Amino acid sequence: MIQKIIKRLLAGVATLLIVYAATFVMAVSIPGNPFQSGDRNMPAEAEQALRARYHMDNNWTFFTEYLAGAIRLDFGPAFTYSDWTCNQIIASALPVSMLIGLLAILIALIIGIPLGVVGAVRRDRLPDFVGLSIVILGISIPTFVTGTAALTLFCVYLKWLPVGGWGTVWHLPLPAITLSLPFIAYIARLTRTSMIGTLECDFIRTARAKGLPERVVIWKHALRVAFLPVLSYLGPATAQAMTGSFVVEKVFGIPGLGQHFVNAALNRDPGLILATVLVFSAMLIALNIVVDLLYGVVDPRIKAAV
Amino acid sequence: MIRNLFLFFIALICALLGLFSLTHREPRADFTYVNPSGIHTLDPARMSWMQDFRVALNLWEGLTTWDPKTTEPVGAAAYFPPGRSADGLTYTFQIREDARWSNGDPVTSRDFVRGWRRAIEPGTSADYAFFLTENIVGAAEYVRWRQETVDALSMLRSRGRLNKTNDELRMILPRSAADLEKRFAEVGLETPDDTTLVVHLRKPCPYFLDLTAFATFLPIHESIEMLRSNEVDSPLTREGLVVYDPQWTKPDYHRNGYPGLVTNGAYSLSDWSFKRRARLSINPYFRSADDIRCKTIDMLEYDNVSASIMAYESGDVDFLTDLTVPYQHELVRLAQSGERPDLKLCAVLATQFLNFNCDSKTVGGAPNPFKDARVRRAFTLATDREKLVSQVLGNGDRIAKSFVPPGAIPGYTPASGIEHNIDRARTLLRDAGYTSGEQLGHIELLVTSNTVRLGEALATMWEDALGVRVELRAQESKTFAQDKISRNFMMARGSWYADYNDPTTFLNCLTTANGNNDTGYSSEKYDALLAKANAEANPATRARLLSDAESLIVETDCPILPISHSTELIAIKPYVKGLYPNARLWFPFRYVSVDR
């Protein structure tokens, strides 16, 4: 088991190195000057001195020095926001995105799983159709629409919650719910499909034959197996919810990590591009390893295969 | 198991929520405004953005400042007016005895020299260092000398020959370090005593007192020296630079006993969290601190203008400086019709225009029809700016026929420009040897991705009037900037915001050597007129020379095609007093009072 974990971790480090190299090449080769701002052109000498200051005058030294820093978890200065280091930016933005993302996934599980189970059990009947409609709405309406609608309704007209910003518990519910909508939809769909298959299995017939109440059959025996596809989806979904909530962050004006993904690239800020990509990749890899391990714990049949 | 998983999940969220609730909330500030694009830097030497300048000029105070109503230069940390020699080349500033830093220290002339010196240092110097290097005796020479050291070291490093035992390095660094003070002494700045600053100018600069209000000219408190990073026994870093720990702009940074950011303006920075908020609190040592009504100012950063407008409508925010939203034209209409008196339009000193590439060949090597001034003039004549401004832009901008906005700079009447006239445009094209528009070949217009609508309107206009075929190339802003600098375009969108209240802030952009001349336009006559104006002492004659120069670029040679003079929409809650919409968008918060 430990050997397998070490193997997975090593593979993860190798993946990160490849991600780093590929991102580096893209970050330094896209046209655009990270030091220029606004309409004013920067004199070539001034740019040269700034490149020297940040050791960007030589791509190879920049590559190795940045990598050495990243291994020590020091991502160096942000060029566009020169008063801050990338570490400070990530430390300020990542917990924000994580909190919103985790809340969204939690909401998605709490709503999505029962929705899927009910859909499977009452297949092709009214509850299933209601569930399906919610799912289709959740998937097809983009979050910038639902987010803006929620913002307008609850914050501007009803004035129940503050508009945008960050700092109190009242800033949390709207973005978390908005972000959870597509995840609710996927989870409900996954649960329903997998539940339908599971309910036809032999062990379910056995459970029913033993005279177990239907409630126990479904929620204890069947769900345990039917949950597996949801679990494997949870890894990437959590990573995506925690780091990819850019649109929701934008709509609600939340100081999360999502905006830096986009802005770092728009600003041609190589330090911040690399830092955000590496953090996101590391999280994605780590969550996938965790999910694979959990898989074995939840379903003994898979233990051997991890 | 699933239950355990859920429990773990919930425990994690509770932990995060717990951390979240620990971030303490201060009571609402006396005055709150939103800065949607956020602070890029609070280092005055490195600033380029209006939003950053606005914060800096409330935190610091230069020798002069701008009157919030008229934007004329008035006294600030120095008495006004300063002594000025008859030839206009020497200014003697007397710093007020009651000018104080936010820790109580008196503001001295050396603090100004420290700030100005830092602003021109290679590796720090940014967009506006040229204000100092172009005007102050010896500054450009000092920078050039410094640059040589940095370049030499950079070259050695990229050849992989830079290490502690390298002889060349051993020589270059100490030699420059030893000469550092001697060389800087040749720069025309003198501090005969703590309150006197003598500035020697390279050439007369009629707008110098306007410049000294600018962020690049702010003083820096001596505590920054605690954060200097350099090689042992040397004032310079290995790269040959003068570098300070970039954290020096933080109020709560205390490495090496650093007291946190010390400023000399009406406010000091009491809290700054990245991309969330900056709180400004009254500087208790400021000379008129008792008269200032708003003791705390919150600057919020919403990454989204729509959200900031909603926060304004719901009353969480008192003031907005940016209302660039897709429905902006509707807001402009409400402001113009007076239905929303809290929305105000500021006619700013800025011009949107097109650059023509004046080189003889395009980057691809094809012959460039726009090298001929007649073709450029024809395109200008064929452009219906009334229609563009009223039907396409819809943002309250005014029609521009000149480069310098009319009526904005006292004593200056801009050139009148040329009117819309399709027949004359066609005649000019024929004169230039093009009997039909198609003969001009493939014409390309480079725009940014957010000015595509303007580009489409222009293309249609020229296609209808001249029969030319125009292709639009829309680019994201950084790629656009790169192509514009390398002149990889035939026509490209441009915009220019005035840096000071003088026509030269616009007109200098088109001189031959200017780094912001994106057109490649080079006219001896134009350069000579500007040089002559520069040397002219009589304001009226100078204005006439500048106006003559301007008529060259908007009537005869037409390297640029002015489209509109910008208007900015701002929102001020009716209960806020003391904010005046002005052409520089300069809002000193010390005059603001809020009566909710």
Side-chain angles (χ1 to χ4, degrees), chain A residues 126-148:
Chain A
L126 187 65
D128 192 20
F129 289 127
V130 173
L132 188 67
S133 333
I134 296 176
V135 165
I136 288 174
L137 286 179
I139 290 185
S140 50
I141 303 182
T143 43
F144 61 82
V145 175
T146 42
T148 312

Side-chain angles (χ1 to χ4, degrees), chain A residues 39-40 55 57 83 92, chain B residues 41 157 239 276 476 495 499:
Chain A
D39 296 319
R40 187 166 276 284
H55 293 190
D57 42 359
D83 302 14
S92 118
Chain B
T41 174
R157 202 171 42 245
E239 295 80 27
R276 295 180 198 187
E476 165 279 331
S495 72
D499 297 319

Side-chain angles (χ1 to χ4, degrees), chain B residues 64 161 216 279 367 417 424 456 475 485 541 545 554-555 564:
Chain B
T64 54
R161 282 166 57 192
T216 324
R279 173 162 283 205
R424 262 190 67 209
E456 282 168 346
Q475 277 178 339
I485 293 172
T541 320
L545 286 167
V554 297
E555 288 163 12
S564 70

Side-chain angles (χ1 to χ4, degrees), chain A residues 25-296:
Chain A
V25 171
M26 287 191 267
V28 296
S29 55
I30 38 173
N33 174 2
F35 303 109
Q36 201 199 331
S37 46
D39 296 319
R40 187 166 276 284
N41 298 340
M42 177 163 253
E45 314 85 63
E47 189 192 334
Q48 187 53 38
L50 278 167
R51 284 187 182 273
R53 172 171 175 175
Y54 292 110
H55 293 190
M56 268 184 76
D57 42 359
N58 181 315
N59 277 340
W60 178 246
T61 30
F62 185 46
F63 182 86
T64 49
E65 283 182 16
Y66 192 92
L67 185 60
I71 290 168
R72 295 192 311 269
L73 292 183
D74 173 8
F75 294 102
F79 300 170
T80 328
Y81 303 106
S82 49
D83 302 14
W84 302 87
T85 63
C86 292
N87 284 31
Q88 287 175 321
I89 291 176
I90 289 172
S92 118
L94 188 60
V96 174
S97 298
M98 277 176 72
L99 184 56
I100 293 284
L102 286 176
L103 277 176
I105 290 292
L106 186 70
I107 295 170
L109 284 173
I110 292 173
I111 300 177
I113 289 178
L115 214 59
V117 171
V118 170
V121 176
R122 303 257 183 275
R123 197 168 151 190
D124 295 336
R125 307 231 303 268
L126 187 65
D128 192 20
F129 289 127
V130 173
L132 188 67
S133 333
I134 296 176
V135 165
I136 288 174
L137 286 179
I139 290 185
S140 50
I141 303 182
T143 43
F144 61 82
V145 175
T146 42
T148 312
L151 198 63
T152 317
L153 179 64
F154 292 106
C155 308
V156 179
Y157 289 115
L158 297 176
K159 297 199 177 191
W160 290 353
L161 295 164
V163 185
W166 191 251
T168 67
V169 181
W170 304 115
H171 286 115
L172 295 175
L174 283 187
I177 293 171
T178 310
L179 184 60
S180 73
L181 290 178
F183 295 108
I184 291 179
Y186 277 113
I187 288 176
R189 251 1 235 170
L190 275 174
T191 314
R192 180 182 177 274
T193 314
S194 132
M195 196 73 177
I196 288 172
T198 313
L199 285 175
E200 282 161 10
C201 287
D202 289 347
F203 76 95
I204 297 296
R205 197 177 315 133
T206 311
R208 283 186 179 140
K210 280 200 303 187
L212 287 179
E214 189 66 13
R215 182 175 52 84
V216 178
V217 172
I218 288 168
W219 292 101
K220 198 164 172 204
H221 293 254
L223 184 59
R224 188 164 178 168
V225 175
F227 184 67
L228 287 178
V230 178
L231 182 62
S232 60
Y233 169 67
L234 271 189
T238 313
Q240 197 194 334
M242 290 199 295
T243 51
S245 49
F246 169 69
V247 174
V248 172
E249 285 173 17
K250 184 102 186 162
V251 169
F252 292 95
I254 296 169
L257 195 61
Q259 56 172 317
H260 299 304
F261 269 119
V262 180
N263 290 342
L266 288 179
N267 294 331
R268 305 291 189 272
D269 187 333
L272 199 52
I273 292 176
L274 286 165
T276 47
V277 168
L278 285 178
V279 167
F280 177 59
S281 315
M283 277 172 64
L284 196 64
I285 290 169
L287 282 167
N288 271 319
I289 294 178
V290 169
V291 165
D292 283 358
L293 295 176
L294 279 179
Y295 234 72

Side-chain angles (χ1 to χ4, degrees), chain B residues 399 413 473 488:
Chain B
I399 295 162
T413 314
R473 183 154 61 102
N488 183 13

Side-chain angles (χ1 to χ4, degrees), chain B residues 29-31 54-61 100-103 261-270 279-289 291-298 586-594:
Chain B
D30 296 339
F31 176 73
R54 190 172 297 138
V55 182
L57 292 173
N58 278 293
L59 288 174
W60 280 273
E61 183 180 56
R100 286 283 179 280
W101 290 98
S102 53
N103 65 353
L261 181 64
V262 178
T263 59
N264 72 327
Y267 294 93
S268 64
L269 188 65
S270 53
R279 173 162 283 205
L280 280 54
S281 303
I282 190 91
N283 167 5
Y285 297 98
F286 190 71
R287 55 182 178 277
S288 58
D291 304 333
I292 295 173
R293 298 277 296 279
C294 286
K295 306 286 184 196
T296 49
I297 311 283
D298 262 352
W586 161 231
F587 305 112
F589 299 131
R590 51 189 268 216
Y591 302 114
V592 172
S593 64
V594 173

Side-chain angles (χ1 to χ4, degrees), chain B residues 190-211:
Chain B
E190 284 175 63
T191 53
D193 61 57
D194 271 0
T195 56
T196 312
L197 176 67
V198 184
V199 184
H200 298 282
L201 299 187
R202 188 190 291 273
K203 53 179 201 280
C205 177
Y207 47 87
F208 188 64
L209 296 179
D210 195 310
L211 294 186

